[in-house]
Amino acid sequence: MTEVPSIAPAHNFIRQIVMDDMNSGKHPMIRTRFPPEPNGYLHIGHAKSICLNFGLAAEFDGQCTLRFDDTNPSKEDIEYVEAIQADVRWLGFDWTELRHASDYFETFYLCAQKLIGDGHAYVCDLNADEVRSYRGTLTEAGRNSPHRERGIAENLDLFARMRAGEFADGARTLRAKIDMGSGNINLRDPAIYRIRKISHQNTGDAWCIYPMYDYAHGLSDAIEGITHSLCTLEFEDHRPLYDWYLAQIDLGNHAELVAPVLKSGLTAPVSTPRQIEFSRLNFDFTVMSKRKLLALVNDGLISGWNDPRMPTLTGIRRRGYPAAAIREMARRVGVTKQESVIEFSVLENCVRDDLDASAERRMAVIDPVKLVITNLVPGHEEFLSASNHPKDETRGQRKVPFAREIWIEREDFMEVPSKGFHRLVPGGEVRLRFVGIIKCVDVIKHEDGSIKELHGTLDLESRSGMPGADRKIKGTIHWVSALHAIAAEVRLYDRLFTVANPDDESDGKTYRDYLNPDSVRVVSAQLEPSLAAVEAEQRFQFERLGYFVADRLDHRPDKPVFNRVCTLRDSKK
Ligand code: ATP
Ligand code: MG
């Protein structure tokens, strides 16, 4: 573990199964795996699976493999393989072993030969359309393929020739011989191998036949000694097939089948894994399908996989969400078999709770208007002590420069105040954070009537240490010294979609129709000078504005760039 999650694990039904299996002595050690297909970047949904698999292994002194389920080379890429590793590490987890399903291709091939030899698989010449029409429907049994009764020797020969590249893509498949009348369509002679003459990101051109997911997945689990194979609910109906392959092949009693992978240094004994399903994590106001996320990237609708509005882990990281907040979200959401859509605010509240405790406070003005304090002499300059964290004195103090001209937030002044407005108004008073009470004495305008600057006077009796320091006044505003402030680019992010369910395609709409045109607003802000020197990815609360992070990619001391992580409160409620 690069960073051991400090929070107590939440109990759930899978954890109970693991505890029971440990107590009964069924497994001396538990092994789990996180098995992404390297066909895209990880998203916030994957975080649930990562936290569950790595979390259980850590809690019970077990092991967790990171396995790339790379059996479908057409969509896979080494870029994804690398990004997935970086994202899992960022979330705070590390794997016992890094594996690829493609490391086991030779074993998969030997296992398929065994299935053929035992009369459990056959080479089928039906094309994809024919296979579909033979398969039947939910209410109607399928029909046997005309090639189902091929002899073992012929099947072995054809299968070897499939591997040798003698046949065109799609011309033949290897199929399991199970039951075309099964009520579970997954058991109607599913494909085991298909012909695909394309290069693979890990095995290059060594293979032109590739195993199907259901076949490869269970075998990979067994080869790695996985005890609990945790997956999402859509695989529930595949479990009989998962168990069928394991039972027919019986890897534990056929060491010769595993021999090719032992060379690659596998350490765990072969297991009979148990598949357990749980519900996917879904959030409102976002899309999570890799296909849609890829389209957002490819069509330039966002700046890339790491755009801070993306639900990808790399996007969320750049947005400034702490990894600990993601883990806490996974804990709060829990693990059940109940499908549900979680409100995005659940995640944001985890972020707020984390940052309220962890982020130091600073002052920044994102829509500046100048306020000249006319009773201070030109050139006035002082350095005020400001606490870095009002709830944690151990974080100490910093010096904040104060001068005669300051920037305040445009919306903290109203010339004609609305009811209940307790900030600066002509002739009115407000407290300037760390300074004292200021009164607005004049409003200077441009020719077009817009505000050029405000003039005010500081009540010197209200300053720290003076008798009037505690004078009661409604409203406190933040500011930065115009003389000392640094200009910065600040990116104000909002939701990427305007509706709770952008996957809804009724009315002929698609998620593209729901993109929020105001999901990012870039402003030029004025910051307290101490913010220039911070490192990328450091997070702060800008007082009264929200939480901000120095952009991971673009922030530089001479050109600061901050992203808004989230507002201080959930304004959507
Ligand atoms: P695809 O869009 O390619 O089907 P996928 O989301 O299933 O993508 P995988 O790479 O196959 O992606 O997922 C890796 C693991 O993460 C799987 O075990 C999968 O069940 C789990 N996982 C994926 N999405 C979620 C989710 N939203 N909630 C919980 N677990 C998930
Ligand atoms: Mg998948």
Side-chain angles (χ1 to χ4, degrees):
M1 296 278 136
T2 47
E3 184 189 340
V4 178
S6 55
I7 40 183
H11 195 56
N12 60 61
F13 76 101
I14 296 180
R15 183 167 178 263
Q16 187 63 50
I17 291 171
V18 168
M19 289 170 93
D20 292 346
D21 287 350
M22 297 288 289
N23 289 337
S24 73
K26 181 174 175 193
H27 303 294
M29 176 193 274
I30 66 144
R31 288 193 185 79
T32 56
R33 85 286 171 268
F34 174 63
E37 185 181 354
N39 62 352
Y41 280 66
L42 297 179
H43 53 61
I44 184 73
H46 289 114
K48 177 175 179 176
S49 177
I50 296 171
C51 291
L52 177 63
N53 281 296
F54 284 96
L56 284 171
E59 184 186 357
F60 295 99
D61 287 326
Q63 299 183 339
C64 186
T65 306
L66 173 62
R67 181 204 314 144
F68 290 104
D69 242 329
D70 52 353
T71 54
N72 184 9
S74 61
K75 292 182 182 163
E76 296 164 4
D77 198 285
I78 192 77
E79 174 193 353
Y80 304 134
V81 170
E82 284 164 6
I84 287 168
Q85 295 179 57
D87 288 344
V88 172
R89 286 218 169 90
W90 172 72
L91 254 195
F93 299 105
D94 205 355
W95 41 90
T96 320
E97 288 182 332
L98 179 73
R99 293 277 149 193
H100 297 78
S102 56
D103 296 337
Y104 315 140
F105 277 176
E106 191 62 39
T107 284
F108 296 162
Y109 184 80
L110 296 179
C111 291
Q113 282 184 323
K114 175 174 189 294
L115 286 177
I116 295 172
D118 293 345
H120 294 311
Y122 61 97
V123 173
C124 180
D125 305 353
L126 297 181
N127 65 32
D129 286 339
E130 291 163 337
V131 166
R132 209 168 299 122
S133 79
Y134 274 78
R135 189 179 293 134
T137 64
L138 284 175
T139 51
E140 201 185 312
R143 286 174 293 138
N144 284 349
S145 159
H147 314 106
R148 201 173 198 257
E149 299 310 325
R150 256 182 181 140
I152 289 174
E154 186 186 356
N155 278 321
L156 286 172
D157 175 60
L158 286 172
F159 186 48
R161 288 163 61 194
M162 279 170 65
R163 176 178 183 170
E166 283 190 33
F167 311 118
D169 281 17
R172 293 195 152 95
T173 52
L174 182 73
R175 297 176 69 179
K177 196 177 195 175
I178 310 181
D179 179 6
M180 290 305 292
S182 172
N184 183 339
I185 292 187
N186 294 303
L187 297 180
R188 294 184 187 171
D189 291 10
I192 303 176
Y193 269 92
R194 61 204 186 298
I195 304 172
R196 283 275 171 87
K197 293 184 175 162
I198 43 179
S199 300
H200 185 284
Q201 51 84 19
N202 193 33
T203 58
D205 294 319
W207 294 86
C208 65
I209 55 171
Y210 290 98
M212 301 301 290
Y213 177 88
D214 283 325
Y215 173 72
H217 196 83
L219 284 176
S220 303
D221 284 343
I223 289 168
E224 291 168 6
I226 302 303
T227 54
H228 300 82
S229 178
L230 314 179
C231 62
T232 36
L233 276 179
E234 69 271 22
F235 292 104
E236 197 163 27
D237 290 346
H238 298 236
R239 188 177 351 120
L241 181 56
Y242 180 99
D243 291 338
W244 187 88
Y245 283 130
L246 292 177
Q248 302 309 323
I249 294 166
D250 191 16
L251 266 188
N253 289 312
H254 291 274
E256 74 282 4
L257 302 176
V258 193
V261 300
L262 291 181
K263 281 184 247 142
S264 66
L266 272 180
T267 50
V270 164
S271 63
T272 304
R274 172 172 174 191
Q275 174 178 310
I276 307 167
E277 309 85 16
F278 61 94
S279 60
R280 293 178 89 86
L281 176 61
N282 304 300
F283 278 107
D284 62 5
F285 290 97
T286 188
V287 297
M288 221 105 88
S289 124
K290 281 187 201 161
R291 179 177 60 80
K292 292 178 183 172
L293 296 176
L294 182 65
L296 289 173
V297 174
N298 285 344
D299 298 347
L301 297 169
I302 38 88
S303 67
W305 288 102
N306 60 8
D307 186 297
R309 292 164 293 177
M310 287 283 270
T312 52
L313 293 182
T314 185
I316 276 173
R317 172 179 183 177
R318 189 159 172 217
R319 176 71 170 264
Y321 286 19
I326 313 285
R327 296 193 299 264
E328 172 62 10
M329 176 278 298
R331 197 184 69 86
R332 287 186 195 175
V333 165
V335 177
T336 68
K337 281 185 178 285
Q338 208 66 47
E339 290 287 5
S340 65
V341 178
I342 307 292
E343 287 180 24
F344 208 80
S345 55
V346 170
L347 175 56
E348 280 186 330
N349 285 335
C350 292
V351 171
R352 288 190 183 99
D353 289 351
D354 182 291
L355 294 180
D356 180 41
S358 64
E360 291 195 357
R361 274 49 168 174
R362 294 290 185 271
M363 290 199 289
V365 175
I366 58 173
D367 184 13
V369 64
K370 191 171 275 182
L371 171 61
V372 182
I373 303 169
T374 54
N375 62 335
L376 296 179
V377 294
H380 176 94
E381 180 184 58
E382 58 186 296
F383 292 86
L384 307 171
S385 282
S387 115
N388 285 327
H389 199 299
K391 299 177 187 173
D392 181 1
E393 283 311 319
T394 66
R395 284 160 177 272
Q397 311 243 317
R398 68 188 188 284
K399 291 290 180 198
V400 179
F402 173 61
R404 184 172 185 263
E405 297 192 354
I406 60 175
W407 299 111
I408 67 167
E409 213 67 65
R410 193 171 298 272
E411 64 169 32
D412 282 337
F413 172 77
M414 273 185 106
E415 195 163 13
V416 184
S418 56
K419 196 160 172 286
F421 185 82
H422 294 305
R423 289 164 279 166
L424 201 59
V425 301
E429 287 185 318
V430 77
R431 183 175 296 279
L432 277 187
R433 184 100 165 107
F434 305 120
V435 178
I437 295 169
I438 193 104
K439 179 179 195 167
C440 177
V441 295
D442 209 353
V443 182
I444 315 295
K445 297 195 172 167
H446 293 289
E447 271 178 19
D448 67 0
S450 61
I451 293 172
K452 179 166 179 256
E453 61 187 36
L454 306 171
H455 286 183
T457 52
L458 177 62
D459 174 6
L460 300 175
E461 287 295 304
S462 71
R463 303 214 59 192
S464 166
M466 299 298 282
D470 293 331
R471 178 153 74 87
K472 287 271 175 288
I473 190 97
K474 278 199 171 146
T476 300
I477 64 173
H478 62 273
W479 52 273
V480 291
S481 159
L483 183 64
H484 304 88
I486 49 163
E489 177 176 326
V490 170
R491 301 168 181 169
L492 302 170
Y493 291 106
D494 200 349
R495 288 174 170 152
L496 189 52
F497 294 97
T498 52
V499 297
N501 180 13
D503 289 316
D504 180 6
E505 300 199 342
S506 58
D507 300 344
K509 295 208 163 141
T510 75
Y511 64 102
R512 286 158 187 268
D513 298 311
Y514 302 122
L515 282 169
N516 176 5
D518 301 318
S519 58
V520 59
R521 195 156 61 85
V522 179
V523 298
S524 172
Q526 297 289 334
L527 312 184
E528 192 182 315
S530 65
L531 285 166
V534 308
E535 310 255 320
E537 295 201 88
Q538 262 190 277
R539 304 176 187 90
F540 297 91
Q541 183 191 106
F542 290 177
E543 292 204 13
R544 300 181 59 235
L545 296 177
Y547 296 101
F548 291 76
V549 65
D551 188 74
R552 187 174 166 215
L553 301 180
D554 299 336
H555 174 81
R556 268 180 290 282
D558 58 334
K559 190 186 164 294
V561 178
F562 284 85
N563 302 327
R564 183 168 67 196
V565 183
C566 60
T567 51
L568 292 179
R569 274 168 297 277
D570 186 0
S571 56
K572 311 272 171 188
K573 278 275 154 81

